[in-house]
Amino acid sequence: MGSWMSKELTQDLAWELATGGPWPEPAELEGDEKYLAHALREGLKGVGLSSPNPPVGCVLVKAGRIIGSGVHTRAGDPHGEIMALRDAESRNEMVQGATAYVTLEPCCHQGRTPPCTDSLIRAGIVRVVVGVGDPNPRVAGGGMAILRSHGLEVREGVLSEACRRFHDPFFKLIRTGLPWVMLKLALGSDGSLGPIGRTTTITPPEVQLRAHALRRASEAIVVGAGTVAVDDPQLTDRWPFPTLPHRNFLRVVLDDQGRLPADRRVWQSIPGQPAMRAVVAEPPPLRDVQDLRLPPGPGGCSLRHLLHELVARGVGRVLFEGGGAVARMLLEQDLVDEFHRFLSSQPAGGPTLDLDLSGLPNLRVQIPFAGGCWEVISR
């Protein structure tokens, strides 16, 4: 069970919550735990960029000093370990004899990039500290075994709970073929989204800005047609910090019959943030909008099929934002991994939204803000 935290809801804390945190503070730790916490913080820079690969963070330490750091930010590009080695080289640091701290077990197979184990061995790394093992059958302990067979000291399981939580989206993708699903709703103290058919502001503007961290941590956002009809949102990623040019953020609307008109703002063409329409019927096409034709499911489109379609487009994390009916279907079908619930201390004035949270037993954290709190409820 989580507890109320005294921390202020800053941008940094919002980003931690959006990426599975809060995360351990390096300054509060010592030894291996301290440097693994630094590697975890490095890994945060790859969230929303590296899917379907995990955003592995790595730091290299020699004589008690970080001499290199790196993170994996794009499938097909070098992994975190290689980026850390390159960073050390750019600083004219000698990595021979250093310790590598890695959030996830180094890979030991030839994929789109060479095995990281080979690079660590060739560089003269003498010790590797691993946060959590990689369940990918192509690795699954093999990386650590290869390192040990070449005489490197390997310590595993450091900050394991935090590293497991950080890499849970990747673990789920490997295990089930489905993306990590975050559900976000803002509710009044009466458990309502607000009066039906009316736009209702439940959280203050500064909290709404912080909540945009959830979009930046995802590769896709999904809403129901009702939300678009009433609120006419753009659904864009407006997190204030810049991102790498290759980031692609899909804006998906569940409009099974294709009834939403072409003047909705979500259909506007935005570079790097394509709009998509999930449909069951075959409605007339919309300019610059791709249709995802899905089999029917409860209440419209099959949500499980939608998730598989998103994975096929490189999505490892998806945010469902807004729409009481969509939220109920997701929870009833046990498709939610994390529920980000923004609770106001004031009533919203609409019907109570009854949600079955039996599949989400863990209230991991509550962060208060003026007039309410941000709760993260997870499996």
Side-chain angles (χ1 to χ4, degrees), residues 95-175:
V95 300
Q96 188 169 12
T99 296
Y101 292 85
V102 193
T103 58
L104 184 68
E105 176 182 6
C107 68
C108 56
H109 62 284
Q110 177 70 49
R112 295 172 68 178
T113 58
C116 289
T117 50
D118 290 358
S119 297
L120 294 172
I121 293 166
R122 284 198 306 269
I125 298 296
V126 296
R127 185 167 181 260
V128 179
V129 178
V130 177
V132 66
D134 187 345
N136 185 339
R138 302 179 73 183
V139 184
M144 290 183 282
I146 287 174
L147 293 172
R148 288 187 174 114
S149 72
H150 282 78
L152 281 72
E153 178 188 344
V154 178
R155 183 184 178 196
E156 55 186 294
V158 176
L159 297 186
S160 60
E161 191 278 331
C163 289
R164 178 204 54 78
R165 185 156 30 94
F166 178 62
H167 288 301
D168 261 344
F170 172 67
F171 294 168
K172 180 190 178 186
L173 186 62
I174 289 292
R175 187 178 67 252

Side-chain angles (χ1 to χ4, degrees), residues 62-376:
K62 191 173 182 180
R65 187 169 59 89
I66 294 177
I67 63 172
S69 59
V71 58
H72 182 54
T73 58
R74 186 178 189 177
D77 283 359
H79 293 180
E81 298 94 321
I82 310 305
M83 296 301 291
L85 290 170
R86 291 182 178 180
D87 182 49
E89 181 181 4
S90 72
R91 303 186 196 183
N92 294 317
E93 297 282 2
M94 296 293 293
V95 300
Q96 188 169 12
T99 296
Y101 292 85
V102 193
T103 58
L104 184 68
E105 176 182 6
C107 68
C108 56
H109 62 284
Q110 177 70 49
R112 295 172 68 178
T113 58
C116 289
T117 50
D118 290 358
S119 297
L120 294 172
I121 293 166
R122 284 198 306 269
I125 298 296
V126 296
R127 185 167 181 260
V128 179
V129 178
V130 177
V132 66
D134 187 345
N136 185 339
R138 302 179 73 183
V139 184
M144 290 183 282
I146 287 174
L147 293 172
R148 288 187 174 114
S149 72
H150 282 78
L152 281 72
E153 178 188 344
V154 178
R155 183 184 178 196
E156 55 186 294
V158 176
L159 297 186
S160 60
E161 191 278 331
C163 289
R164 178 204 54 78
R165 185 156 30 94
F166 178 62
H167 288 301
D168 261 344
F170 172 67
F171 294 168
K172 180 190 178 186
L173 186 62
I174 289 292
R175 187 178 67 252
T176 68
L178 292 172
W180 190 255
V181 175
M182 296 187 292
L183 171 63
K184 180 239 174 183
L185 289 177
L187 298 166
S189 59
D190 51 1
S192 168
L193 294 169
I196 295 175
R198 185 192 310 170
T199 299
T200 304
T201 301
I202 294 176
T203 53
E206 61 271 17
V207 174
Q208 295 174 26
L209 177 63
R210 302 291 186 262
H212 269 271
L214 294 167
R215 296 188 183 184
R216 175 56 60 86
S218 308
E219 290 90 28
I221 184 172
V222 182
V223 301
T227 296
V228 173
V230 173
D231 297 338
D232 194 19
Q234 282 188 301
L235 301 180
T236 49
D237 171 10
R238 298 194 295 278
W239 189 238
F241 299 119
T243 185
L244 295 179
H246 73 263
R247 171 167 160 80
N248 200 37
F249 183 64
L250 307 181
R251 299 175 294 139
V252 184
V253 179
L254 300 172
D255 187 16
D256 59 302
Q257 299 302 314
R259 291 172 178 158
L260 286 170
D263 64 355
R264 299 290 86 182
R265 295 200 301 160
V266 70
W267 305 138
Q268 294 174 4
S269 178
I270 298 175
Q273 303 187 54
M276 307 184 80
R277 183 173 60 167
V279 297
V280 172
E282 295 192 9
L286 292 173
R287 183 179 179 181
D288 297 325
V289 177
Q290 180 182 348
D291 281 346
L292 290 173
R293 286 194 168 78
L294 303 172
C301 303
S302 167
L303 294 178
R304 187 172 292 274
H305 280 81
L306 170 64
L307 295 178
H308 281 293
E309 288 287 344
L310 292 177
V311 167
R313 287 161 174 78
V315 172
R317 301 176 188 236
V318 56
L319 173 65
F320 283 79
E321 186 178 296
V326 174
R328 270 195 301 267
M329 287 189 292
L330 283 168
L331 291 166
E332 288 170 359
Q333 296 173 43
D334 197 26
L335 294 175
V336 179
D337 298 294
E338 278 188 354
F339 180 18
H340 292 260
R341 181 167 62 182
F342 292 76
L343 289 176
S344 172
S345 59
Q346 301 296 319
T352 299
L353 180 63
D354 293 321
L355 299 174
D356 179 8
L357 300 183
S358 58
L360 301 172
N362 178 32
L363 175 56
R364 196 174 75 237
V365 66
Q366 297 171 312
I367 304 294
F369 55 79
C373 69
W374 179 344
E375 295 184 339
V376 184

